[in-house]
C-alpha cells in the first residue's frame, strides 16, 4: 500500500453542492493529519489539521477513521473560490518529522 | 505574519550552470525542507534538515546538495543544472514534530535551457 493515496479527480461540482474526498494512508501509527489547499501555480497552504476523530471549520469538515486508515474532507455549500487542488498529508512511515503529501485531488466548482 | 521566503520567483539558467536557491524562515523552526513539484508527480522531497549543519536525503537527492549554516536559512544547490531539473521548487519549514504542519514558501519556478 502506498503511504498516502488520493483520487486525483478531477471533480467538477456545481456551485452550492456538497463534495467529499477520501484519502487512505498506510502508517497505522500516524497521529496528525492535514489537508492542504493548492491554487494553480501557488504554494500549498494549510486548510485543516486532524488530530482526533475529526475537525470542523465552517463549511469544511475533516474526518479521521483510524480503523480503516482513511481521512476525508467534506465541503458543504461549495463556492467558486473552492476550486483548487486538495492535498492529503500524513506523517511518513519513519517518524512524525517528515510529512508525506498525496498527489492531490483537483476540484472545479462550476457556476 | 509568519513567513518562508524564497529568493527568486522565476529563474532561467543554462545547462551546466551551478544554481543556488535560497530559503529563509522567520518562525524559528527547527525543520526545513526542499521539494520539487512536477505535473502528475506531486511533491517530491529532495533534502531536509532537522537542525543547523544537519541534512538528510529525501526521495530524489541526485544532482542536488544543500547547506544549512544558520537556523533560518536552507539553501538548495544544483551542482550542474540539467534540463530535467526544470521544475517548481518549494521550500518549507516546521517546528519539531511537525504537529502544525509545514509552512511553504511561494516557490521558485526554475527553467534550465
Amino acid at each position: 500500500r502506498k503511504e498516502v493515496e488520493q483520487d486525483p479527480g478531477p471533480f467538477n461540482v456545481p456551485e452550492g453542492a456538497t463534495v467529499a474526498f477520501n484519502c487512505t494512508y498506510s502508517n497505522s501509527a500516524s497521529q496528525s493529519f492535514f489537508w492542504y489547499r493548492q491554487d494553480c501555480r501557488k504554494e500549498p497552504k494549510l486548510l485543516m489539521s486532524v488530530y482526533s476523530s475529526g475537525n470542523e471549520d465552517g463549511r469544511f469538515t475533516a474526518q479521521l477513521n483510524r480503523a480503516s486508515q482513511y481521512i476525508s474532507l467534506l465541503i458543504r455549500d461549495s463556492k467558486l473560490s473552492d476550486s483548487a487542488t486538495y492535498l492529503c498529508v500524513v506523517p511518513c512511515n519513519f517518524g512524525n518529522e517528515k510529512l508525506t503529501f498525496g498527489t492531490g485531488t483537483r476540484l472545479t466548482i462550476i457556476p | 505574519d509568519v513567513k518562508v521566503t524564497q529568493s527568486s520567483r522565476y529563474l532561467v539558467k543554462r545547462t551546466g550552470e551551478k544554481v543556488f536557491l535560497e530559503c529563509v524562515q522567520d518562525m524559528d523552526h527547527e525543520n526545513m525542507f526542499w521539494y520539487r513539484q512536477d505535473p502528475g508527480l506531486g511533491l517530491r522531497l529532495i533534502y531536509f534538515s532537522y537542525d543547523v549543519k544537519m541534512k538528510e536525503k529525501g526521495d530524489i537527492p541526485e544532482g542536488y546538495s544543500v547547506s544549512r549554516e544558520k537556523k533560518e536559512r536552507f539553501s538548495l544547490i544544483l551542482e550542474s543544472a540539467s534540463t530535467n531539473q526544470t521544475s517548481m521548487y518549494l521550500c518549507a519549514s516546521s517546528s519539531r514534530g511537525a504537529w502544525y504542519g509545514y509552512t511553504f514558501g511561494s516557490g521558485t519556478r526554475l527553467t534550465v535551457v
Side-chain angles (χ1 to χ4, degrees):
Chain A
R1 190 182 210 178
K2 285 186 179 178
E3 286 190 75
V4 56
E5 284 194 86
Q6 287 184 257
D7 182 343
F11 283 63
N12 298 315
V13 173
E15 192 174 6
T18 295
V19 60
F21 315 130
N22 275 349
C23 165
T24 58
Y25 62 93
S26 61
N27 181 8
S28 59
S30 297
Q31 295 295 312
S32 52
F33 305 83
F34 307 93
W35 283 100
Y36 275 71
R37 172 198 169 118
Q38 186 172 23
D39 294 293
C40 189
R41 297 183 173 272
K42 296 288 184 73
E43 75 274 21
K45 291 187 177 177
L46 181 64
L47 178 67
M48 296 185 76
S49 307
V50 189
Y51 299 116
S52 57
S53 61
N55 189 14
E56 185 172 327
D57 183 4
R59 297 183 294 108
F60 296 83
T61 301
Q63 291 187 315
L64 168 63
N65 185 318
R66 289 190 185 276
S68 301
Q69 292 183 214
Y70 76 83
I71 61 173
S72 62
L73 179 68
L74 182 78
I75 306 174
R76 289 180 297 277
D77 187 24
S78 54
K79 312 288 185 192
L80 296 176
S81 57
D82 294 333
S83 297
T85 297
Y86 291 84
L87 307 174
C88 170
V89 184
V90 304
C92 82
N93 290 341
F94 302 105
N96 286 332
E97 302 287 353
K98 281 172 57 183
L99 300 177
T100 299
F101 287 76
T103 52
T105 298
R106 184 153 184 187
L107 172 66
T108 301
I109 305 300
I110 303 164
Chain B
D1 195 17
V2 293
K3 268 184 161 178
V4 177
T5 304
Q6 294 185 230
S7 53
S8 304
R9 188 77 177 96
Y10 297 96
L11 213 51
V12 180
K13 295 292 182 180
R14 295 195 179 277
T15 301
E17 275 194 79
K18 191 168 186 175
V19 182
F20 293 86
L21 302 182
E22 304 287 345
C23 176
V24 177
Q25 50 96 2
D26 65 0
M27 295 168 281
D28 200 32
H29 281 169
E30 289 81 8
N31 304 331
M32 296 189 75
F33 308 83
W34 274 106
Y35 287 87
R36 64 177 283 178
Q37 187 174 32
D38 301 287
L41 297 177
L43 284 159
R44 292 183 291 168
L45 182 63
I46 305 171
Y47 266 97
F48 59 101
S49 170
Y50 292 147
D51 206 343
V52 177
K53 296 192 185 295
M54 293 182 68
K55 59 185 178 184
E56 299 277 345
K57 291 180 180 179
D59 301 317
I60 51 163
E62 295 78 20
Y64 304 94
S65 62
V66 289
S67 172
R68 193 163 181 205
E69 296 297 317
K70 294 185 177 181
K71 189 176 185 179
E72 67 271 18
R73 187 180 296 269
F74 193 36
S75 303
L76 179 69
I77 303 150
L78 285 66
E79 298 291 342
S80 177
S82 63
T83 54
N84 63 13
Q85 291 179 311
T86 292
S87 186
M88 168 70 98
Y89 289 87
L90 289 157
C91 175
S93 72
S94 78
S95 57
R96 188 77 72 208
W99 291 106
Y100 304 104
Y102 293 174
T103 301
F104 283 88
S106 55
T108 296
R109 188 164 293 277
L110 172 68
T111 302
V112 182
V113 299

